[in-house]
Amino acid sequence: MAKRKHHRRSIMGRSDIPYAQRLKMQMSQDIASNRGYAARITLYIISVALHECEGIGYGRLGRFAQRYRALEDEFYEDPEVGMAHAAQRMAQLGLPISGEFFVAPDTGSKRQNVLDTHALQATQVAQIVSAVAMNDEFGFGPERQKRIRDRIGELARQYRDEGTGFLLAKMEAIGFPVVDGVAMVYLDQDGNAVRPGKEKR
């Protein structure tokens, strides 16, 4: 779910910037892109699982997404501290985690391994943050969250086999408009999710 789309232009065409600096800047762009994409797909999967398992619709999922984003922003202010706090909170929820960041398997390419690791960690953080957001927003404890996790696992496997098309179709069926391949959420001035052209309800 997104509120706006950012267009990314490759830095490698900039002849006014030294090549080594361009490589570093391009890598930073690619890391940010991979992280953002992985987190977005994870949020779609979790949203669909919440809808299918708990009947949560567009409006409440919009509020969930807001809480999720607030927690994610807080986490990334200092990831090491964020992970320590998340581990404490997850233990309180009865869903303990290791507190260690995941590392992707070595592919033999240092660049690809860095990108894969950042994407994997973005997925990891999204899952942790969403569990806290589910408790904050809906009061879901470990039993309900474990049932939702099972569905999340099924949807993640389907995504690996089929790609994003089925996820976007499910998001659209819930009520999220899909614009340029991104499921959107629209908010009114009070932060409530609304459908374009309709009053909040």
Side-chain angles (χ1 to χ4, degrees):
M1 287 170 279
K3 287 187 279 189
R4 58 185 177 272
K5 184 177 178 181
H6 297 281
H7 294 281
R8 185 173 65 88
R9 186 170 69 90
S10 173
I11 200 72
M12 295 310 290
R14 294 282 302 276
S15 59
D16 58 320
I17 300 174
Y19 182 70
Q21 188 177 348
R22 276 183 280 161
L23 283 176
K24 186 175 181 180
M25 291 170 71
Q26 184 66 53
M27 187 63 169
S28 294
Q29 281 187 350
D30 290 344
I31 286 171
S33 178
N34 274 28
R35 289 186 75 95
Y37 181 80
R40 186 167 71 247
I41 293 299
T42 303
L43 185 54
Y44 292 170
I45 288 171
I46 292 165
S47 298
V48 171
L50 281 167
H51 179 72
E52 293 181 349
C53 294
E54 300 291 337
I56 296 172
Y58 174 77
R60 294 176 72 200
L61 284 173
R63 292 193 296 275
F64 165 76
Q66 283 186 283
R67 182 60 184 150
Y68 166 93
R69 288 195 183 96
L71 289 167
E72 185 182 52
D73 289 345
E74 183 180 314
F75 187 104
Y76 281 119
E77 285 177 7
D78 186 331
E80 295 297 330
V81 172
M83 180 60 86
H85 288 168
Q88 291 175 353
R89 183 69 190 278
M90 292 293 281
Q92 290 169 357
L93 291 177
L95 298 165
I97 58 173
S98 69
E100 300 292 329
F101 284 100
F102 296 157
V103 177
D106 190 357
T107 60
S109 165
K110 182 178 179 181
R111 181 181 186 280
Q112 191 59 51
N113 191 241
V114 169
L115 292 174
D116 290 347
T117 293
H118 278 280
L120 181 62
Q121 289 177 358
T123 300
Q124 177 189 15
V125 171
Q127 291 173 338
I128 294 168
V129 166
S130 68
V132 175
M134 276 186 246
N135 183 257
D136 287 353
E137 189 65 31
F138 308 127
F140 291 172
E143 293 307 314
R144 290 175 90 172
Q145 293 220 26
K146 286 172 185 174
R147 186 172 67 252
I148 294 164
R149 276 186 177 184
D150 288 342
R151 183 57 182 146
I152 288 169
E154 293 169 356
L155 290 165
R157 287 188 289 275
Q158 188 176 353
Y159 163 72
R160 286 193 292 270
D161 292 339
E162 300 181 23
T164 58
F166 88 98
L167 274 177
L168 289 173
K170 284 179 177 289
M171 292 293 285
E172 197 164 32
I174 295 169
F176 293 92
V178 175
V179 180
D180 295 331
V182 177
M184 309 293 287
V185 61
Y186 295 90
L187 306 175
D188 67 12
Q189 61 185 4
D190 299 319
N192 297 301
V194 295
R195 290 179 173 81
K198 295 185 179 180
E199 297 296 324
K200 73 177 183 181
R201 57 184 183 180

